[in-house]
Amino acid sequence: MARAILEHGPATAAVLAERLDLTAAAVRRHLDHLVEDGTLEARDQRVYGSRRRGRPAKVFALTDAGRDAFDQHYDDLAVEALRFLAETQGDDAVLEFARRRVAFIERDYERLVAEQPDLSPAAALARVLTDEGYAARVRGLPLVGGHAAGEQLCQQHCPVSHVAHEFPQLCEAETEAIGRVLGTHVQRLATIAHGDGVCTTCIPVPTRTGTSDDREQK
């Protein structure tokens, strides 16, 4: 039904029922669902010439979210642009672009930590990534010798996974930024771009060094 509107433009329930060979009741049931989930919106039908009696029928049109559900070929365009950048300026230019793209991580992390200082560093980072569409969360790693081995940052979604499959610089720059905001070396264990179900990054517990007093006692 959404594709019919995409291909033919906004339409009334009656027009859709005729076009799709469905009953009016079935069409209205589907339309109610599509409006509820934000795929479609109902608009007043424009009336040209003399107006008939009664309220004008509603027409249903795709929302921006509804259009985004269809293939937009943005990934193909991004890959072609990065290929051109690599061919004309070299791989270093691609990496610089990738670093600039993830600059939001450090910028937004600093702001969030200042606003909510009670958040742990990893939790704040997950919030920043989630706000950018990465659906990130943090989970603890199994205990080793009775001590926490660290945490694991899990990103359930990657907005650029199809592009990163050909240009790993995108993942590399993201990992660098994560390490900088957390102030420790982190290790990427899996990425959606390379066929894994989730992007996972190991965040080790910082190594504790003794104080000067501790060293003097030893």
Side-chain angles (χ1 to χ4, degrees):
M1 191 170 296
R3 183 168 291 278
I5 293 175
L6 176 73
E7 294 175 353
H8 300 281
T12 64
V15 169
L16 288 168
E18 181 179 356
R19 182 175 293 154
L20 300 174
D21 194 22
L22 296 171
T23 65
V27 167
R28 291 193 178 280
R29 185 168 61 251
H30 287 300
L31 288 174
D32 288 343
H33 174 72
L34 292 170
V35 169
E36 184 178 349
D37 72 9
T39 300
L40 301 180
E41 63 180 357
R43 302 173 181 173
D44 290 329
Q45 185 178 29
R46 292 183 178 180
V47 178
Y48 300 94
S50 60
R51 182 172 178 177
R52 297 178 180 178
R53 292 183 178 180
R55 181 178 298 176
K58 293 285 186 180
V59 294
F60 295 86
L62 284 171
T63 62
D64 289 340
R67 288 185 179 279
D68 289 343
F70 293 94
D71 295 335
Q72 297 287 350
H73 301 292
Y74 293 147
D75 287 345
D76 292 342
L77 178 62
V79 167
E80 290 177 11
L82 287 178
R83 284 174 182 166
F84 177 79
L85 183 63
E87 291 170 2
T88 57
Q89 303 296 324
D91 290 339
D92 288 344
V94 176
L95 181 58
E96 182 58 32
F97 167 81
R99 287 169 174 162
R100 183 172 299 186
R101 196 196 73 82
V102 296
F104 75 89
I105 293 178
E106 294 176 82
R107 180 196 66 222
D108 295 349
Y109 177 85
E110 292 181 2
R111 174 187 55 77
L112 184 60
V113 168
E115 294 174 353
Q116 302 184 44
D118 51 331
L119 283 176
S120 71
L125 176 60
R127 182 84 58 83
V128 167
L129 291 169
T130 294
D131 289 344
E132 288 293 324
Y134 287 83
R137 61 185 178 86
V138 178
R139 69 181 185 185
L141 293 174
L143 297 179
V144 176
H147 300 285
E151 296 174 304
Q152 194 172 74
L153 177 68
C154 302
Q155 295 160 240
Q156 306 292 338
H157 178 65
C158 176
V160 296
S161 60
H162 292 90
V163 182
H165 179 73
E166 181 169 341
F167 294 96
Q169 294 95 327
L170 296 173
C171 295
E172 180 182 340
E174 188 178 303
T175 305
E176 288 178 355
I178 290 172
R180 281 197 298 272
V181 298
L182 297 179
T184 186
H185 172 74
V186 298
Q187 182 179 3
R188 261 290 158 76
L189 304 178
T191 62
I192 295 173
H194 289 87
D196 300 299
V198 60
C199 294
T200 57
T201 305
C202 179
I203 305 170
V205 172
T207 303
R208 296 185 61 183
T209 57
T211 63
S212 58
D213 291 339
D214 293 334
R215 288 192 295 269
E216 288 176 2
Q217 291 177 2
K218 292 180 181 179

